Amino acid sequence: MLEELKKQVLEANLLLPKYNLVKFTWGNVSGIDREKNLVVIKPSGVPYEELTIEKLVVVDFDGNIVEGDYRPSSDTATHIELYKKYKDMGGIVHTHSTWATIWAQACMEMPALGTTHADHFYGNIPCTRKLTQEEIEGDYEKNTGKVIIETLGDGEVMAVPGILVSCHAPFTWGKNPRDAVVNSVVLEETCNMAYHTVTLNKGIESLDQYLLDKHYYRKHGKNAYYGQK
Amino acid sequence: MLEELKKQVLEANLLLPKYNLVKFTWGNVSGIDREKNLVVIKPSGVPYEELTIEKLVVVDFDGNIVEGDYRPSSDTATHIELYKKYKDMGGIVHTHSTWATIWAQACMEMPALGTTHADHFYGNIPCTRKLTQEEIEGDYEKNTGKVIIETLGDGEVMAVPGILVSCHAPFTWGKNPRDAVVNSVVLEETCNMAYHTVTLNKGIESLDQYLLDKHYYRKHGKNAYYGQK
Amino acid sequence: MLEELKKQVLEANLLLPKYNLVKFTWGNVSGIDREKNLVVIKPSGVPYEELTIEKLVVVDFDGNIVEGDYRPSSDTATHIELYKKYKDMGGIVHTHSTWATIWAQACMEMPALGTTHADHFYGNIPCTRKLTQEEIEGDYEKNTGKVIIETLGDGEVMAVPGILVSCHAPFTWGKNPRDAVVNSVVLEETCNMAYHTVTLNKGIESLDQYLLDKHYYRKHGKNAYYGQK
Amino acid sequence: MLEELKKQVLEANLLLPKYNLVKFTWGNVSGIDREKNLVVIKPSGVPYEELTIEKLVVVDFDGNIVEGDYRPSSDTATHIELYKKYKDMGGIVHTHSTWATIWAQACMEMPALGTTHADHFYGNIPCTRKLTQEEIEGDYEKNTGKVIIETLGDGEVMAVPGILVSCHAPFTWGKNPRDAVVNSVVLEETCNMAYHTVTLNKGIESLDQYLLDKHYYRKHGKNAYYGQK
């Protein structure tokens, strides 16, 4: 079942080591079938070089394993919370990539400081509040999803397709698993640039709205003119 | 048409990933035929691994496509402005290379702090002013060229063959496309060194003029004595 | 003798260059046979590309060579001190890996700032006091072990399986040689992240105990639920 | 003539790109035949991938080309000054390697902050004063050698086999060309570590003399006990 989606999820997971976003097994990608409300996700703790289609796990919205011999990623409940809330998400990525994790550990929103950022993300990358002791000791992964949702709110979430979880690491998403990984690569590079920009010029501020608009809409939406038709 | 120039432009574009100056499609190289006033440039949004001679685009000074089935780089109008103004430019490169973009995002001129810089660039690398809202919402890419020209002025521009566009990223140029890419590599490395030099020694200042002269003219002009005859 | 252990020690040593933890011969891994109280360790100053099973050295708890034609690592006495004191250590690694060495040279404890850290290390990575002149001019490598023990104390040492020796570099350990190398990789990456986190946000503090607990015990102990059963 | 020395000089030059010490042609290695007082050096501006034994240049102590069809490195006069003054030097390297150049551009001595440094260099790496306008406009490369000598003085120079030339870049040396390159690699890594150590802990000071002694003499001199006999 879900053969095409599994193939996409496998390929997207294998992009994580290719783009140097993970060490060991520090990351996972999932994808969703919106008709069946089933999520395909990486098995927990399996090295990327040993990952195959057969080892992927299919879970439903209650986290039950529908198919697969392996335990799903320990972060599965976070993915499910996000998929349930935001219908446009087709793929989700969680990594501990170096630069994005640095901003998450610093518990700081990552500002939009240049057009590299604006080409891909329509505004600052938010950072969640810290989870409370109760949230951590309770249903932790589910509560991580809830705190992300609390931060993102009810609106559109595909224009800023990433978030930093305080003291933890980033999540990104996209219309499909591959797109979500691309957003992880861009987040990592923009976090790298932003670290060095703010340490070079301490007074720097986020982009003016009109420059953010210009670059974002050059690449997105009906008036986009970047790339081929 | 322009087969030799197209070959040069293709090869120069392929140097961008080779020298780690780009992620995805974040960069473009063009070259010009000065007799015909035709510019050969990378197509917009095409991955480097898929780039071929046939996909390059030929445009005239009004931005009209003279040959090619693809849309040219979205930055084409900036390239054209520069070629029209500065007759010595034979190739132009735009990237979002990490260290040069950091200085551009910091909206800071990159100072000439050592002989590595002086060997290649005869002075600080300027940073443009920010474009106004009107310039951004108007003919943006053309106005980017105009603001670069405003910064560079009417004089000779081949001795400092690069510029940082505020909140954006660098442009470099050279006597041909390959030479322009070499200048991008040097700009990236000197921006890396300069970031760390100014954060290590906050009081450091630009090179003395006579050391700048010495190193620049060791490699450039009629009295150069670096390299083979 | 000890063929299986030697194989493990060889393979673990070869992981050091693979994971970019060493330049030249700047590192060594050992393993111990707890029944015989014999330690297998890398020979001193032998390049990794020339390392073979036959070149490994077997020493007893007094540092006597029991087998092998080579001189053991100059740090052997430090390894022996630690093995004698802490019965759970099955493998020990010493490197001068870049980021961990930076924290050691700064003579600073490396704080637990995120879940990447908490997933592997149950608390801050301590930094020893400086050795005294007498300790350095005396039995230096043995005294290095003693000062590490003074810092770690009498308790359990496998939950925080690494230490920074002031002005020097890190040691890590594990239940076997490979596990000790994995801890070196994690220490290097968390030291990298921690450097940039504390320079980005100077007021940042170590993780709350409950988040440290949550992530550490997700992966360790009888209630762990990360990975496959 | 000098076939063995030429082979050593070629191999040492090829180590520069291998160890990521150079971009393009930004570096050169020489070796000396002390019986004939002849220096073999890289030709100026020749890419490493095109370098062959036949392209190396042999010069005498007056800088005259004794053999070779190419112009020698533009830095040849600096090498000759050092060889004439210091009889123990068998090979000299000049690069613009990133981290060492950062310290040189900052015009700062690089402090001995850890045992990685002490294992190889017996004390801080000095930084020359700036050359005067007269020295730069006169016989520049020769004067660079003179200012290095002014800094190093008349004593032994093999224990601290490197120097930073203010606003410029490092020189290192060794008993032969290969050894000089190894010192460049170590200088690059210790400069990297030192930059981050002093930015992490601003109050940090150079190693205590007894720790410097211990580590340096573990590896050097008649009582050394590192490595194989």
Side-chain angles (χ1 to χ4, degrees):
Chain A
M1 67 190 290
L2 306 177
E3 291 308 311
E4 174 54 30
L5 179 61
K6 283 179 184 169
K7 200 176 150 206
Q8 288 179 31
V9 171
L10 177 66
E11 287 175 359
N13 270 288
L14 296 179
L15 290 177
L16 299 185
K18 180 184 166 188
Y19 283 115
N20 289 315
L21 295 171
V22 290
K23 291 194 188 298
F24 303 116
T25 59
W26 302 357
N28 45 73
V29 185
S30 70
I32 188 167
D33 181 309
R34 283 288 174 189
E35 293 188 3
K36 298 178 177 146
N37 280 340
L38 293 177
V39 173
V40 177
I41 193 163
K42 182 179 175 294
S44 182
V46 172
Y48 295 98
E49 55 268 33
E50 299 173 11
L51 199 60
T52 60
I53 289 262
E54 291 70 32
K55 290 181 183 163
L56 295 176
V57 188
V58 182
V59 295
D60 66 19
F61 270 8
D62 296 318
N64 299 312
I65 297 178
V66 174
E67 190 187 57
D69 300 326
Y70 286 76
R71 293 207 290 201
S73 165
S74 56
D75 301 304
T76 300
T78 312
H79 291 240
I80 290 174
E81 282 306 292
L82 297 177
Y83 283 128
K84 280 161 66 178
K85 172 72 180 178
Y86 303 111
K87 307 307 179 194
D88 292 335
M89 292 186 182
I92 296 177
V93 177
H94 174 52
T95 75
H96 288 215
S97 68
T98 307
W99 289 105
T101 302
I102 286 162
W103 282 89
Q105 290 190 165
C107 303
M108 289 167 66
E109 179 178 62
M110 197 270 285
L113 296 175
T115 61
T116 317
H117 187 118
D119 281 337
H120 298 86
F121 304 143
Y122 189 57
N124 298 352
I125 302 293
C127 187
T128 68
R129 65 166 171 81
K130 293 187 186 184
L131 274 71
T132 65
Q133 181 166 0
E134 193 174 15
E135 287 167 336
I136 289 170
E137 294 178 349
D139 200 345
Y140 173 62
E141 291 82 6
K142 185 169 186 169
N143 289 335
T144 299
K146 285 182 183 298
V147 170
I148 291 174
I149 292 167
E150 175 188 319
T151 310
L152 295 176
D154 292 326
E156 201 281 321
V157 294
M158 300 307 281
V160 181
I163 195 163
L164 305 167
V165 178
S166 269
C167 306
H168 189 162
F171 283 81
T172 65
W173 47 88
K175 60 183 186 292
N176 56 50
R178 182 190 173 83
D179 188 45
V181 175
V182 169
N183 288 333
S184 282
V185 176
V186 176
L187 179 61
E188 180 66 5
E189 176 67 356
T190 49
C191 281
N192 176 356
M193 288 176 172
Y195 170 88
H196 293 98
T197 303
V198 301
T199 51
L200 180 60
N201 184 346
K202 287 174 180 45
I204 205 72
E205 293 181 358
S206 292
L207 287 184
D208 290 316
Q209 185 63 39
Y210 42 87
L211 183 54
L212 186 64
D213 283 341
K214 178 68 195 181
H215 269 263
Y216 188 74
Y217 291 115
R218 241 180 32 151
K219 282 201 165 182
H220 299 84
K222 65 182 195 312
N223 294 320
Y225 57 94
Y226 182 93
Q228 303 301 319
K229 273 171 267 196
Chain B
M1 68 190 288
L2 305 177
E3 290 309 311
E4 174 54 29
L5 179 61
K6 284 178 182 169
K7 202 179 147 203
Q8 288 179 30
V9 171
L10 177 67
E11 288 175 358
N13 270 289
L14 296 180
L15 290 177
L16 299 186
K18 181 184 165 188
Y19 283 116
N20 289 316
L21 295 171
V22 290
K23 290 192 187 303
F24 303 115
T25 59
W26 303 356
N28 45 73
V29 185
S30 69
I32 189 168
D33 182 308
R34 283 290 175 188
E35 294 189 2
K36 297 178 178 147
N37 280 341
L38 293 177
V39 172
V40 177
I41 194 163
K42 182 179 176 294
S44 182
V46 172
Y48 294 99
E49 55 267 33
E50 300 174 10
L51 198 60
T52 60
I53 289 265
E54 291 71 31
K55 290 180 184 165
L56 295 175
V57 189
V58 182
V59 295
D60 66 20
F61 269 9
D62 297 318
N64 300 311
I65 297 178
V66 174
E67 190 187 54
D69 300 326
Y70 286 75
R71 293 206 292 201
S73 165
S74 55
D75 301 303
T76 300
T78 312
H79 291 240
I80 290 174
E81 280 307 290
L82 296 177
Y83 283 128
K84 280 160 67 177
K85 172 72 179 179
Y86 303 111
K87 307 306 179 194
D88 292 335
M89 292 184 183
I92 295 176
V93 176
H94 174 52
T95 75
H96 288 216
S97 68
T98 307
W99 291 105
T101 302
I102 286 162
W103 281 89
Q105 289 190 165
C107 303
M108 289 168 66
E109 179 178 63
M110 197 270 286
L113 295 175
T115 62
T116 317
H117 187 117
D119 281 337
H120 297 87
F121 304 143
Y122 189 58
N124 299 352
I125 302 294
C127 188
T128 68
R129 65 167 171 81
K130 292 186 186 184
L131 274 71
T132 64
Q133 180 167 0
E134 193 174 15
E135 287 167 336
I136 288 171
E137 294 178 349
D139 200 345
Y140 174 61
E141 291 81 7
K142 184 169 187 171
N143 290 335
T144 298
K146 285 182 183 299
V147 170
I148 291 174
I149 291 168
E150 175 189 317
T151 310
L152 296 176
D154 292 326
E156 201 280 321
V157 294
M158 300 307 281
V160 182
I163 196 163
L164 305 167
V165 178
S166 269
C167 306
H168 188 163
F171 283 80
T172 65
W173 47 88
K175 60 184 187 292
N176 56 50
R178 184 190 172 84
D179 189 44
V181 174
V182 169
N183 288 332
S184 281
V185 176
V186 177
L187 179 62
E188 181 65 4
E189 176 68 356
T190 50
C191 282
N192 177 355
M193 289 176 171
Y195 171 89
H196 292 98
T197 303
V198 301
T199 51
L200 181 59
N201 184 345
K202 288 175 178 42
I204 206 71
E205 293 182 357
S206 292
L207 287 184
D208 290 316
Q209 185 63 39
Y210 42 86
L211 183 55
L212 186 64
D213 283 343
K214 179 67 195 181
H215 269 263
Y216 188 74
Y217 290 115
R218 237 176 41 145
K219 282 201 164 182
H220 299 85
K222 66 182 195 314
N223 294 321
Y225 57 96
Y226 182 92
Q228 304 300 320
K229 272 170 268 196
Chain C
M1 67 189 289
L2 305 177
E3 291 309 312
E4 175 53 28
L5 180 61
K6 283 178 184 169
K7 202 178 147 204
Q8 288 177 31
V9 171
L10 177 66
E11 286 175 0
N13 270 288
L14 296 180
L15 290 177
L16 298 186
K18 181 184 164 187
Y19 283 116
N20 289 316
L21 295 171
V22 291
K23 289 191 187 302
F24 303 116
T25 60
W26 303 358
N28 45 73
V29 185
S30 70
I32 188 167
D33 182 308
R34 283 285 173 192
E35 293 189 4
K36 299 180 176 144
N37 280 341
L38 293 177
V39 173
V40 178
I41 195 164
K42 182 179 176 292
S44 182
V46 172
Y48 295 98
E49 55 268 32
E50 299 174 12
L51 199 61
T52 60
I53 289 264
E54 292 70 32
K55 290 180 184 165
L56 295 176
V57 189
V58 182
V59 296
D60 66 19
F61 270 8
D62 296 319
N64 298 313
I65 297 178
V66 175
E67 190 187 56
D69 300 326
Y70 286 75
R71 294 207 290 202
S73 165
S74 55
D75 302 304
T76 300
T78 312
H79 291 240
I80 290 173
E81 280 307 291
L82 296 177
Y83 283 128
K84 280 160 66 179
K85 173 71 179 177
Y86 302 111
K87 307 307 180 195
D88 292 334
M89 292 185 183
I92 296 176
V93 177
H94 174 52
T95 74
H96 287 215
S97 68
T98 306
W99 290 105
T101 302
I102 285 162
W103 281 89
Q105 290 191 164
C107 303
M108 288 168 66
E109 179 178 61
M110 196 271 284
L113 295 175
T115 62
T116 317
H117 186 117
D119 281 337
H120 297 86
F121 305 143
Y122 190 57
N124 298 352
I125 303 294
C127 186
T128 69
R129 67 165 170 82
K130 292 186 186 187
L131 276 70
T132 65
Q133 181 166 1
E134 194 174 15
E135 288 168 335
I136 288 169
E137 294 177 350
D139 200 345
Y140 173 62
E141 290 82 7
K142 185 170 186 170
N143 290 335
T144 299
K146 285 182 183 298
V147 171
I148 291 173
I149 291 167
E150 175 188 319
T151 309
L152 295 177
D154 292 327
E156 201 280 322
V157 294
M158 300 307 280
V160 182
I163 195 163
L164 306 167
V165 178
S166 269
C167 306
H168 188 161
F171 282 81
T172 64
W173 47 88
K175 60 184 187 291
N176 57 49
R178 183 191 174 83
D179 188 44
V181 175
V182 168
N183 288 332
S184 282
V185 176
V186 177
L187 180 61
E188 181 65 5
E189 176 67 356
T190 49
C191 281
N192 176 355
M193 287 176 174
Y195 170 89
H196 292 97
T197 303
V198 301
T199 51
L200 180 60
N201 184 344
K202 287 176 179 43
I204 204 74
E205 292 182 358
S206 293
L207 286 185
D208 290 315
Q209 184 63 38
Y210 43 86
L211 183 54
L212 186 64
D213 283 342
K214 178 69 197 179
H215 268 263
Y216 187 74
Y217 291 115
R218 240 178 36 149
K219 282 201 166 184
H220 299 85
K222 65 181 195 311
N223 294 320
Y225 57 95
Y226 183 94
Q228 303 302 321
K229 272 170 266 197
Chain D
M1 67 189 289
L2 305 177
E3 291 309 312
E4 175 53 29
L5 180 61
K6 283 178 184 170
K7 201 177 147 205
Q8 288 178 31
V9 171
L10 177 66
E11 287 175 0
N13 270 288
L14 296 180
L15 290 177
L16 299 185
K18 181 185 166 188
Y19 282 116
N20 289 316
L21 295 170
V22 290
K23 288 191 187 303
F24 303 116
T25 59
W26 304 356
N28 46 73
V29 185
S30 70
I32 188 167
D33 181 309
R34 283 288 175 191
E35 293 188 2
K36 297 179 178 147
N37 280 342
L38 293 177
V39 173
V40 177
I41 194 163
K42 181 179 176 295
S44 181
V46 172
Y48 294 98
E49 55 268 32
E50 299 173 12
L51 199 61
T52 60
I53 289 265
E54 291 70 31
K55 290 180 183 165
L56 295 175
V57 189
V58 182
V59 296
D60 66 19
F61 269 8
D62 297 318
N64 299 312
I65 296 177
V66 175
E67 190 187 55
D69 300 327
Y70 286 76
R71 294 206 290 202
S73 164
S74 56
D75 302 304
T76 299
T78 311
H79 290 239
I80 290 174
E81 280 306 291
L82 296 177
Y83 283 128
K84 280 161 66 177
K85 172 71 180 179
Y86 302 112
K87 308 305 180 196
D88 292 335
M89 292 185 184
I92 295 176
V93 176
H94 174 52
T95 74
H96 287 216
S97 68
T98 307
W99 290 105
T101 301
I102 286 162
W103 282 89
Q105 288 190 165
C107 303
M108 288 168 67
E109 180 177 61
M110 196 271 284
L113 295 175
T115 61
T116 317
H117 187 118
D119 281 337
H120 297 88
F121 305 143
Y122 190 57
N124 299 352
I125 302 293
C127 188
T128 69
R129 65 166 171 81
K130 291 186 186 186
L131 274 72
T132 64
Q133 181 167 0
E134 193 174 16
E135 287 167 336
I136 289 170
E137 294 177 349
D139 200 345
Y140 173 62
E141 290 81 7
K142 186 169 186 170
N143 290 335
T144 298
K146 286 182 183 299
V147 170
I148 291 174
I149 292 168
E150 176 189 317
T151 309
L152 295 175
D154 292 325
E156 201 279 323
V157 294
M158 301 307 280
V160 182
I163 196 163
L164 305 168
V165 178
S166 269
C167 306
H168 188 162
F171 283 80
T172 65
W173 47 88
K175 60 184 188 293
N176 56 49
R178 183 190 173 84
D179 189 44
V181 174
V182 169
N183 288 332
S184 281
V185 176
V186 177
L187 179 61
E188 181 65 4
E189 176 67 357
T190 49
C191 281
N192 177 356
M193 288 176 173
Y195 170 89
H196 293 98
T197 304
V198 302
T199 51
L200 181 59
N201 184 344
K202 288 176 178 41
I204 205 73
E205 291 182 358
S206 292
L207 286 184
D208 290 316
Q209 184 63 38
Y210 42 86
L211 183 55
L212 186 64
D213 283 343
K214 178 68 196 179
H215 269 263
Y216 188 74
Y217 290 115
R218 238 175 40 144
K219 282 201 165 182
H220 299 85
K222 66 180 192 315
N223 294 321
Y225 57 95
Y226 182 93
Q228 304 302 320
K229 272 170 267 197

